[in-house]
Amino acid sequence: MKYELIVIGGGPAGLAAAVSAYQNGLRRIAIIERDLQAGGILNQCIHNGFGLHRFHEELSGPEYAGRFIDMLPGTSIQLFTDTMGLEITKDKRVHCVSAKQGYQVYEAESIVLAMGCRERTRGAIGIPGDRPSGVFTAGAAQRYLNIEGYMVGRRVLILGSGDIGLIMARRMTLEGAKVLACVEVMPYSCGLSRNIAQCLNDFDIPLYLSHTVTDIRMKNGRLSGCTVSRVDEKRMPVPGTEMDFDCDTLLLSVGLIPENELTRSAGIEIDRRTNGPVVHENMETQMEGVFACGNVVHVHDLVDYVSAESERAGRAAAQYVLNGEASGECITLRNGACVSYTVPQLIRPDNVEKAAEVFFRVNRIFSASRVSVYSNDQLIAQYKREHMAPGEMERIQLPKALLDKADGEITVACEEA
Amino acid sequence: MKELICIVCPKGCRLKVDEENGFKVTGNSCPRGAEYGKNEISDPRRTVTSTVRISGSHLKRCPVRTSSPIPKNMMFELMDALNSVELHSPVKRGEVVIENVLGTGSDVIVTRDM
């Protein structure tokens, strides 16, 4: 049987895309999920704060995922769990494997890539020192604690102020561990300010900005201590600033990487700025009929935005199968001053109904500022912001009328007001 | 005047609360921020999330949370109360695990169907 749509990944992005494709007329839909149940990373994100935009209430991760999982039974969407996607070919065949079904090849008319992202590890940032047990990525520790029920340590140091690290600082503290400090190499925090407030400040956990771990020590195979040093403007450790922490665990929250092995295997163009596929306004990749959404495209800070973006991808997949490929002239989006990337990277104005939503991140902290949109050096739109930070995803709406006026390219830039 | 970061939503507004003028809040961008600022000074509260034991499921822990924020200084007491809970599968999202936990008026509820 040929599927109209195969969605790779049953996390928040894949679920929203599949449901949206169903609501827009597709019936033969399959979701390929490698875990035993759908829900993705939300299942281990047991903290609250999800769904404020989407459902106007504060839910935990599993609750948010549950609301989407509950939509499946009324549909013809097939969910293959415990099934690993291995390869996507140019003729839209999806190769996958599971213990139950063995090696399978499914044909699809369209594909949505929703594989999410994974954590950067110790190897990626090259921390010197011994290689003991007790060094975990924050997300791995979160899974051990919240899903498997293992306490990973008693005296904890956290490197990186990303949201997962902050959330784990609170979680480990509530479970009885002593979290000694959170250490961040940048001069600003990379997580949401609310998480600094409710995860660190609530428990008097110090945050060392412009500091990093410069040594890891081991005793009997287990982590026995870490050295933390201040860093200069070039992020190089400053000799003489070393502090020793007597800890048995180091959690790393040092960034996330979109998981695009399947995307690459299909020969789909990847944007080096996001490490995700280059996408159009409707989340279509550079390969016709293949769409992408969620953290596989760019790392989001709010799942609410993932759901919205993924519904757009699901709807677009349905339109592709039912009406054929979207067409029209293409505008290229470029990142100007202080903007590190934009998503989408390409917009076809003919394919935009009212406005195109553009996500981006800034590369430094801004107080009162302006987001300026230029086309061929002409300022065509401006948006005010009170505060922007690299840890917080920004978005603007570009109205269709404005896109129709743009000439070939658009640049998004930020500057102080 | 006390300065706070609002935790109501991910925006993280920088609030100023004037304790001497009836907890007047400035810097908020929504009414919920004003309410948070006032409460944070007079009666700080947090929603607590954690896990409890579960048997009969393919996993050993079931995620739970308080149905509404409880006094901040009771967070650890709540964690202790959860240690004695053992659930049996099946449980449904929203199912009450402990009613009116520690007399807070808030219930502990299941957050995942298991």
Side-chain angles (χ1 to χ4, degrees):
Chain A
M1 175 173 103
K2 191 166 185 173
Y3 286 97
E4 289 169 312
L5 168 65
I6 295 180
V7 179
I8 321 279
L15 288 169
V19 170
S20 160
Y22 179 84
Q23 288 165 347
N24 283 279
L26 297 193
R27 288 296 173 266
R28 297 194 309 278
I29 304 172
I31 303 175
I32 311 281
E33 166 56 43
R34 67 181 167 192
D35 208 339
L36 294 171
Q37 286 180 332
I41 202 68
L42 287 176
N43 286 334
Q44 69 183 60
C45 297
I46 63 162
H47 53 281
N48 63 322
F50 301 89
L52 269 170
H53 293 270
R54 175 86 197 189
F55 299 112
H56 304 289
E57 52 184 310
E58 221 174 321
L59 304 172
S60 74
E63 284 174 298
Y64 188 97
R67 297 227 173 162
F68 281 87
I69 294 168
D70 284 356
M71 295 178 196
L72 297 184
T75 71
S76 54
I77 300 169
Q78 285 180 277
L79 173 64
F80 298 116
T81 54
D82 206 10
T83 304
M84 182 76 188
L86 298 174
E87 193 190 354
I88 299 165
T89 59
K90 290 199 163 49
D91 55 355
K92 299 196 188 70
R93 285 165 196 265
V94 178
H95 293 240
C96 45
V97 69
S98 76
K100 263 197 200 142
Q101 306 271 345
Y103 197 99
Q104 298 274 313
V105 182
Y106 298 113
E107 278 184 88
E109 292 174 48
S110 68
I111 294 173
V112 169
L113 305 172
M115 292 88 76
C117 60
R118 61 166 166 257
E119 295 177 283
R120 291 177 81 208
T121 60
R122 179 178 176 183
I125 54 169
I127 309 170
D130 296 333
R131 305 186 70 78
S133 75
V135 182
F136 301 89
T137 59
Q142 188 179 46
R143 183 177 172 101
Y144 277 128
L145 185 54
N146 295 346
I147 304 264
E148 319 279 344
Y150 295 113
M151 188 71 177
V152 297
R154 290 287 159 198
R155 292 177 64 80
V156 183
L157 185 68
I158 295 178
L159 175 60
S161 61
D163 287 313
I164 316 169
L166 300 176
I167 294 289
M168 281 307 287
R170 172 176 64 184
R171 184 79 187 107
M172 293 294 287
T173 306
L174 284 173
E175 288 292 353
K178 172 78 184 161
V179 178
L180 304 173
C182 178
V183 177
E184 169 60 52
V185 72
M186 301 304 285
Y188 49 81
S189 152
C190 296
L192 297 173
S193 344
R194 72 190 304 225
N195 285 338
I196 301 286
Q198 63 185 351
C199 298
L200 297 184
N201 301 351
D202 268 9
F203 303 99
D204 299 318
I205 300 168
L207 171 63
Y208 292 97
L209 297 173
S210 296
H211 279 72
T212 194
V213 173
T214 47
D215 191 27
I216 292 175
R217 285 180 299 283
M218 170 166 77
K219 201 172 169 186
N220 301 325
R222 179 74 190 194
L223 181 74
S224 64
C226 289
T227 304
V228 170
S229 306
R230 189 159 59 77
V231 297
D232 62 21
E233 315 74 66
K234 288 178 186 146
R235 283 184 249 163
M236 293 302 288
V238 180
T241 61
E242 295 86 359
M243 293 183 282
D244 278 339
F245 285 91
D246 171 21
C247 52
D248 58 24
T249 303
L250 175 65
L251 299 188
L252 304 175
S253 176
V254 293
L256 300 165
I257 309 166
E259 208 161 333
N260 275 297
E261 280 69 20
L262 295 181
T263 320
R264 287 195 185 87
S265 80
I268 294 170
E269 187 187 345
I270 302 280
D271 183 341
R272 283 170 58 194
R273 299 167 300 177
T274 53
N275 287 315
V278 172
V279 290
H280 291 92
E281 72 295 327
N282 63 352
M283 305 312 292
E284 188 170 22
T285 66
Q286 295 290 79
M287 186 184 281
E288 190 187 310
V290 179
F291 303 79
C293 53
N295 283 349
V296 81
V297 177
H298 60 134
V299 177
H300 295 64
D301 16 81
L302 292 189
V303 70
D304 305 62
Y305 294 153
V306 168
S307 301
E309 179 182 291
S310 305
E311 283 166 346
R312 195 145 33 97
R315 190 168 60 241
Q319 279 165 0
Y320 170 79
V321 171
L322 301 174
N323 310 324
E325 171 71 350
S327 57
E329 292 283 305
C330 218
I331 296 175
T332 305
L333 265 72
R334 298 189 197 285
N335 44 324
C338 302
V339 172
S340 44
Y341 73 77
T342 67
V343 165
Q345 292 87 343
L346 299 166
I347 296 179
R348 293 168 290 207
D350 289 353
N351 201 28
V352 173
E353 263 175 52
K354 286 187 188 129
E357 186 168 57
V358 176
F359 292 110
F360 64 93
R361 280 182 196 271
V362 290
N363 62 13
R364 64 176 171 89
I365 289 191
F366 281 91
S367 46
S369 51
R370 286 190 300 252
V371 180
S372 305
V373 181
Y374 300 91
S375 182
N376 286 326
D377 300 327
Q378 290 265 312
L379 182 68
I380 55 171
Q382 212 157 40
Y383 305 81
K384 277 189 185 163
R385 288 289 184 277
E386 289 305 313
H387 175 84
M388 292 191 288
E392 293 165 23
M393 200 167 81
E394 293 293 329
R395 55 175 191 154
I396 50 173
Q397 300 272 354
L398 297 178
K400 185 177 168 62
L402 204 141
L403 294 168
D404 287 335
K405 274 194 294 184
D407 187 12
E409 63 164 285
I410 280 180
T411 303
V412 181
C414 294
E415 59 204 2
E416 255 80 27
Chain B
M1 201 67 108
K2 211 154 179 181
E3 293 194 17
L4 299 172
I5 293 169
C6 183
I7 63 167
V8 169
C9 87
K11 204 168 171 185
C13 291
R14 284 143 181 81
L15 308 180
K16 281 185 181 161
V17 187
D18 193 344
E19 304 106 304
E20 275 137 44
N21 283 310
F23 300 106
K24 193 177 169 337
V25 178
T26 49
N28 57 307
S29 39
C30 77
R32 298 177 61 198
E35 196 189 330
Y36 170 80
K38 186 180 174 190
N39 292 344
E40 187 62 10
I41 304 294
S42 51
D43 174 25
R45 284 170 177 263
R46 295 288 183 269
T47 296
V48 181
T49 63
S50 188
T51 61
V52 295
R53 277 190 206 95
I54 185 164
S55 59
S57 167
H58 73 291
L59 298 169
K60 295 192 184 90
R61 307 295 300 186
C62 177
V64 296
R65 69 171 168 96
T66 56
S67 57
S68 57
I70 64 162
K72 196 173 152 182
N73 59 14
M74 293 177 77
M75 284 193 286
F76 285 96
E77 220 178 311
L78 180 98
M79 291 298 290
D80 285 340
L82 295 181
N83 285 341
S84 56
V85 175
E86 174 150 9
L87 300 178
H88 303 279
S89 178
V91 291
K92 277 275 177 205
R93 225 157 65 229
E95 202 170 302
V96 175
V97 175
I98 308 176
E99 209 172 310
N100 184 21
V101 64
L102 306 169
T104 56
S106 176
D107 300 330
V108 173
I109 58 169
V110 167
T111 70
R112 182 178 179 181
D113 294 350
M114 291 184 81

